Amino acid sequence: MLWVMLAVAVWQPAAGEDTRQGIFYPSFRTLEVTLGSNRYVPPVISLHDASDRIVIAFDELSEQRRYMRYSLTHCDARWQPEGLVESEFLDGFNEGVVDDYDYSQATLTHYVHYNIKIPNEHIRITQPGNYLLRVYDESEPEVTLLQARFGVADFTAGIEMGISSRTDIDTNRSHQQLSVTVDIDKLDVKDPFNDLTVVVGQNGRVDNEVILSTPQRINGSRLIYEHLRPLIFKGGNEYRRFDTASTSYPGIGVEEITSGNDGYDMVLATDYPRNDIQYLYDRTQHGRFLVREVSAGNSDTQADYVRVHFALEMSELLGKSVFLDGDFTNRRLEPWTRMVYNRSTRRYENTLLLKQGAYNYQYLVFPEGGTVGSTAEVEGDFYETSNEYVVRVYHRPRGSRFDRLVGVSQLTMDEN
């Protein structure tokens, strides 16, 4: 049995700090950040739509409620704190109480489920941009328990996207190339070559995000970003998936279920490399997960926690590490997301305590000291893969002290 222990992070709002979404205290689990109840779009609310809400949900494995608070930090396009005074981006106090909670019901693992909704009657956001929400215990405000990312946009920039497998380095082989056009007709942009930042992400990953600061050319109010090497992405493969919604019978990808007084164990079917087999289309959710218990009226509090056993059978990749990738890992490279090679079974193995539901995942390979993951060694790279791309556009007007999020667009390869 492998239990995951996470390091406790101390809040230090300085340039270069870790502002990635994540959990830093071992008793917390299942961090979700969504636009209302829609988990299939980026967590970005409109500055001008009073009905929009960001919902941040998480659990603590405990039988008692914890007294917690939260605060917001305005970040630049690269998610670094900009040092703004709170009154520059908020109307109200920059501190909220985590008072929306409920206890788990009829589960072997006891937990408390929490929700935070932004904006609310205490915290109202007045400026667009990237926001980092930090949760901390009332008794230890300097210690970060978890943190979540979301965006607020004014949608003054228009964005057009295109995806092609006919790339500048190969055609219908292993890559996909994006073209992006940003219309700034409604923006007062003095210097299009220096005042805008375009960020492009693939399937929610943060390791291979691309940041563009200069368009290739300008046509009137339209900034064109095309035939740029950074906009060529490796195709990867469709995400793998498993379903643990039932503890009575194995769901998709589950080979065996056992139970005891200390909970459930679900052994997933052994995975194998897919880099040398033919591409097979499978409609997945690009790394997302959905908490679900098959017979529950409310899965948020009635879904149990189960030990999920992963196994990837292949030869050891010397000098490289294999990590689990998906929203359930918060896309972080941590000891608990790393697959450990077992030479006796010739498999990479890991066990995680996860809430019941439907999960997408894949294996990323990182070289020693590397920060960008590779899909080639395990998943393969295929031009047909139905990847999802998100483009965010930021504007820092001349004399301004912060990056404004002015546009967000999402496009999937099979919708192109």
Side-chain angles (χ1 to χ4, degrees), residues 81-375:
E82 294 175 302
L84 299 182
V85 177
E86 294 167 354
S87 59
E88 292 183 85
F89 61 90
L90 290 178
D91 177 14
F93 295 102
N94 190 12
E95 186 175 63
V97 178
V98 184
D99 55 6
D100 183 354
Y101 65 95
D102 203 358
Y103 297 95
S104 60
Q105 303 172 34
T107 57
L108 291 178
T109 300
H110 296 168
Y111 60 89
V112 185
H113 180 74
Y114 296 91
N115 283 290
I116 299 172
K117 295 180 180 179
I118 299 291
N120 53 52
E121 63 272 22
H122 302 295
I123 294 182
R124 294 176 294 278
I125 296 172
T126 61
Q127 297 294 341
N130 286 340
Y131 284 86
L132 185 71
L133 182 143
R134 183 177 75 96
V135 177
Y136 52 92
D137 193 295
E138 289 185 352
S139 65
E140 293 184 288
E142 74 283 357
V143 177
T144 301
L145 300 175
L146 59 89
Q147 61 192 25
R149 289 177 170 185
F150 66 91
V152 178
D154 63 17
F155 294 103
T156 50
I159 303 174
E160 297 176 8
M161 300 169 59
I163 311 171
S164 176
S165 59
R166 296 174 59 87
T167 77
D168 292 341
I169 59 175
D170 61 21
T171 297
N172 293 343
R173 292 186 64 186
S174 58
H175 293 83
Q176 296 172 353
Q177 184 160 340
L178 270 67
S179 60
V180 178
T181 300
V182 179
D183 192 331
I184 59 173
D185 181 59
K186 297 180 180 179
L187 281 171
D188 183 18
V189 179
K190 303 299 184 184
D191 183 357
F193 289 97
N194 292 293
D195 294 352
L196 291 174
T197 301
V198 175
V199 180
V200 184
Q202 180 194 55
N203 299 327
R205 289 172 57 182
V206 295
D207 62 295
N208 67 342
E209 271 190 342
V210 170
I211 298 178
L212 303 173
S213 57
T214 303
Q216 184 199 47
R217 58 190 172 89
I218 299 177
N219 183 4
S221 65
R222 296 164 62 84
L223 279 59
I224 314 297
Y225 302 79
E226 63 182 5
H227 296 294
L228 298 175
R229 182 61 182 87
L231 290 181
I232 301 177
F233 288 81
K234 293 181 179 179
N237 206 335
E238 307 297 345
Y239 275 73
R240 303 172 191 257
R241 53 188 175 133
F242 65 89
D243 192 322
T244 59
S246 174
T247 56
S248 301
Y249 57 86
I252 293 174
V254 178
E255 190 171 80
E256 180 184 1
I257 300 176
T258 59
S259 63
N261 293 331
D262 64 342
Y264 298 94
D265 286 85
M266 295 200 183
V267 178
L268 301 186
T270 300
D271 286 324
Y272 299 90
R274 300 184 293 173
N275 58 342
D276 58 353
I277 62 176
Q278 186 175 358
Y279 166 82
L280 179 64
Y281 174 78
D282 183 19
R283 187 172 182 82
T284 67
Q285 291 302 329
H286 314 289
R288 297 180 177 93
F289 70 91
L290 173 66
V291 170
R292 188 172 76 94
E293 205 287 328
V294 68
S295 59
N298 181 0
S299 293
D300 286 342
T301 55
Q302 293 177 310
D304 215 327
Y305 276 83
V306 301
R307 289 180 291 271
V308 179
H309 301 264
F310 296 84
L312 170 64
E313 186 171 315
M314 64 180 295
S315 299
E316 185 175 9
L317 300 173
L318 299 178
K320 299 180 179 180
S321 296
V322 180
F323 286 85
L324 286 164
D325 172 68
D327 282 356
F328 69 103
T329 70
N330 293 301
R331 312 289 181 151
R332 297 180 69 92
L333 305 182
E334 305 282 1
W336 65 279
T337 65
R338 180 174 176 267
M339 300 290 290
V340 178
Y341 196 72
N342 184 336
R343 289 187 173 87
S344 64
T345 60
R346 294 179 55 83
R347 303 190 308 183
Y348 284 94
E349 300 171 346
N350 197 355
T351 298
L352 299 181
L353 186 68
L354 300 175
K355 202 171 186 178
Q356 283 181 270
Y359 288 78
N360 279 193
Y361 70 105
Q362 68 175 354
Y363 298 103
L364 291 180
V365 176
F366 290 79
E368 191 80 29
T371 58
V372 179
S374 168
T375 45

